[in-house]
Amino acid sequence: MLPDIFFHPLKPTQVLDTVYDQLGEPDEFGELTNESAARETVRQVLLDPRSQGDPGVFELAWELVDLYDDDELHDAVELLTEVLNAHPDQRFALGALRAAHRDAEGLVEMEALHRDMSFLLPERRDIRLYYLAPAFLAEQGQTDRGALLAREGAALARSLGLEEEAERIEERSPDPEHRQQSSARLGSAMEELLSAVRTAATPSGKRALGGERSSFRMAYLPAREYAKGLAEGLLDATFPLDHEDYRRELESSLHDSAELGRVSVVAIDLAEVDTFAKRTGRDPKRRSTRLAYLSTLPDKDAISWPPERNTPCWCTSQRKYKKCCGRPGFRDQPVPDRGRAILRVDGPQPLRVQVPSRIRLDRLHAVIDADAGAGGHYSFSVQDGEIDADQAPDATLSQLANEPGQSFGYHNGRDHRVTVEEIVPVDPADNQPRVI
Ligand SMILES: [Zn+2]
């Protein structure tokens, strides 16, 4: 029985949120207890006649494969066959998806699909075949053939005016030149600005900004250490209560930071941080202390991010990355904000405000500036640069300052200095921004 929200109209891609809710929490063995229920929901949606013709069928089917373990791929392929029969209009995309999960056997199918498609007029060809075919061929040892196919697919997409699709093909291409091109595109001005703001908030980020696109690390507290840190008051209210939410946030910042250079995760032990803090005369409660401690650890302790999809997750859960912190949608779910930051705003009109510790900068602007509705121009500045809210819609306060004593600039025609006075824990439901 499909959940209620799927009655009229049925949008296959909207199913994903529900599916990941359905998956629930892993049990004591790290297995997702409701996996079969989630699979069943996806199966029903994919086979429901109302989803016929919707291009989201392919995306959903692609996600579905991730719900199967490697030793169950046979079942996944069988289901893909059913899906393929229910959606003959998506034969090339779904066929490529099925072929890509049949190891050496899939090579023949992939080549046959490619050949059949080449008989069609360019505008009738399904370029989604090229999302999977090049990487699959490379996996089977046919790297040159894969690279060739990716070039063909990207050229076809561009000739049809499908730039995003062309980029998606190139991102997955086994051709190193393609990869270079797609990472070069990421270096747009806005990306650089956003990155500057994101990284200016952490010493490791500042190191990364300082020079070459070198590697930098993030500290990670495994579940037991995290619980201890919360219990002993070593983690302030900007840290979520739920370890899963903490991993979600970390996965999300790892993802963002990977645009700047190589990223790795280092699991740290709070007893050792404490020893380090005593020896160097630092406060064991401060982020800066943990980061300083992190830089004393050898490279061999760092797990590089992202892990391969089928290797153990960086969070040491023993589960595969693709089923743990790397599963689709995981990092996109909102995390309750129980940290209330008290900010002092110095300038021509001094005031104090209380806001959630991860408030978006456009909302922070609205709290500080009573004329926000007038649409006047404003910006924020940190040590290493300026952030224009128009260009960084998702930037948050926590990226500018996340510890008492830190400050940043706010400019709305006049210049203000904003300092974090305090961060206190509150009920997330009662964490509304206001002037105090
Ligand atoms: Zn994980």
Side-chain angles (χ1 to χ4, degrees):
M1 182 72 187
L2 290 175
D4 290 349
I5 63 160
F6 300 128
F7 293 99
H8 307 295
L10 186 71
K11 291 297 293 176
T13 44
Q14 282 175 6
V15 173
L16 280 177
D17 276 350
T18 305
V19 168
Y20 287 107
D21 280 350
Q22 239 175 3
L23 281 172
E25 298 290 323
D27 66 14
E28 55 186 310
F29 307 109
E31 290 298 320
L32 290 165
T33 38
N34 299 322
E35 213 159 32
S36 54
R39 283 183 198 174
E40 184 52 25
T41 303
V42 176
R43 196 184 78 87
Q44 289 195 36
V45 172
L46 286 174
L47 298 177
D48 191 301
R50 285 171 299 163
S51 66
Q52 205 163 54
D54 191 314
V57 162
F58 169 70
E59 298 288 339
L60 187 60
W62 197 348
E63 300 290 357
L64 170 77
V65 179
D66 276 345
L67 293 174
Y68 287 82
D69 278 324
D70 291 346
D71 56 1
E72 303 169 311
L73 278 183
H74 178 74
D75 297 340
V77 168
E78 219 161 73
L79 175 51
L80 285 172
T81 304
E82 273 186 85
V83 174
L84 191 51
N85 290 335
H87 302 275
D89 58 315
Q90 302 197 45
R91 173 182 165 221
F92 294 107
L94 291 169
L97 181 61
R98 183 176 66 173
H101 291 89
R102 291 173 62 202
D103 296 333
E105 219 184 316
L107 276 177
V108 181
E109 184 175 5
M110 198 71 93
E111 290 294 359
L113 284 166
H114 178 245
R115 190 195 55 237
D116 290 357
M117 198 166 80
S118 68
F119 298 134
L120 300 176
L121 290 171
E123 59 271 27
R124 305 236 6 240
R125 294 181 199 163
D126 190 337
I127 55 113
R128 296 175 300 176
L129 176 130
Y130 298 97
Y131 290 172
L132 297 150
F136 172 64
L137 289 168
E139 259 171 42
Q140 298 299 316
Q142 302 199 17
T143 309
D144 291 347
R145 173 93 181 113
L148 196 72
L149 229 54
R151 283 177 186 280
E152 178 188 300
L156 173 64
R158 292 213 164 87
S159 75
L160 298 171
L162 304 169
E163 181 59 31
E164 263 180 48
E165 283 78 355
E167 289 180 14
R168 190 165 170 186
I169 291 166
E170 287 175 346
E171 272 162 26
R172 299 176 54 83
S173 164
D175 185 339
E177 203 176 305
H178 266 157
R179 296 237 161 121
Q180 261 171 22
Q181 281 166 8
S182 48
S183 63
R185 271 192 297 269
L186 280 176
S188 67
M190 182 188 137
E191 282 296 329
E192 277 167 29
L193 191 66
L194 257 175
S195 300
V197 173
R198 282 184 188 129
T199 51
T202 65
S204 58
K206 286 200 177 92
R207 271 202 302 282
L209 269 186
E212 70 282 22
R213 280 173 54 95
S214 57
S215 58
F216 54 101
R217 303 162 163 190
M218 294 221 181
Y220 167 61
L221 293 165
R224 187 181 291 179
E225 291 296 306
Y226 195 74
K228 179 179 155 190
L230 287 174
E232 294 180 4
L234 294 170
L235 305 176
D236 68 36
T238 60
F239 288 85
L241 286 178
D242 186 342
H243 190 254
E244 183 168 3
D245 282 334
Y246 165 65
R247 289 192 284 114
R248 211 187 290 293
E249 282 199 328
L250 203 49
E251 174 74 15
S252 175
S253 22
L254 286 163
H255 184 267
D256 292 343
S257 307
E259 287 170 17
L260 291 169
R262 283 189 293 125
V263 191
S264 61
V265 189
V266 186
I268 59 171
D269 179 308
L270 286 172
E272 286 175 17
V273 175
D274 197 51
T275 309
F276 170 81
K278 287 206 177 85
R279 197 176 70 231
T280 55
R282 296 172 199 253
D283 180 351
K285 290 184 182 160
R286 291 188 76 91
R287 258 172 230 268
S288 51
T289 304
R290 287 190 289 273
L291 288 164
Y293 167 71
L294 191 64
S295 64
T296 69
L297 296 176
D299 270 344
K300 69 172 177 53
D301 292 353
I303 301 169
S304 101
W305 187 97
E308 291 294 325
R309 292 165 50 72
N310 283 312
T311 57
C313 190
W314 56 263
C315 75
T316 67
S317 66
Q318 311 293 335
R319 292 168 54 203
K320 287 178 189 174
Y321 178 58
K322 72 174 187 187
K323 292 194 146 197
C324 191
C325 303
R327 69 184 202 239
F330 178 71
R331 68 184 149 83
D332 302 325
Q333 286 173 42
V335 171
D337 194 347
R338 67 180 187 104
R340 173 182 287 163
I342 311 290
L343 305 179
R344 189 181 71 240
V345 185
D346 296 317
Q349 299 142 312
L351 78 160
R352 288 172 84 234
V353 298
Q354 62 175 49
V355 294
S357 66
R358 287 187 293 266
I359 189 172
R360 275 171 56 128
L361 293 183
D362 52 354
R363 296 192 61 213
L364 178 61
H365 157 68
V367 182
I368 301 178
D369 185 345
D371 298 329
H377 190 83
Y378 65 96
S379 66
F380 292 88
S381 60
V382 284
Q383 195 184 334
D384 308 62
E386 184 158 338
I387 175 168
D388 193 319
D390 293 341
Q391 291 167 297
D394 297 323
T396 62
L397 169 61
S398 55
Q399 289 163 347
L400 300 183
N402 53 22
E403 280 203 314
Q406 290 179 337
S407 69
F408 55 91
Y410 165 67
H411 318 279
N412 60 346
R414 294 169 166 183
D415 295 327
H416 304 261
R417 188 93 216 137
V418 184
T419 307
V420 179
E421 287 190 341
E422 237 188 308
I423 294 174
V424 292
V426 295
D427 176 355
D430 181 33
N431 201 2
Q432 302 310 315
R434 64 180 175 91
V435 175
I436 48 177

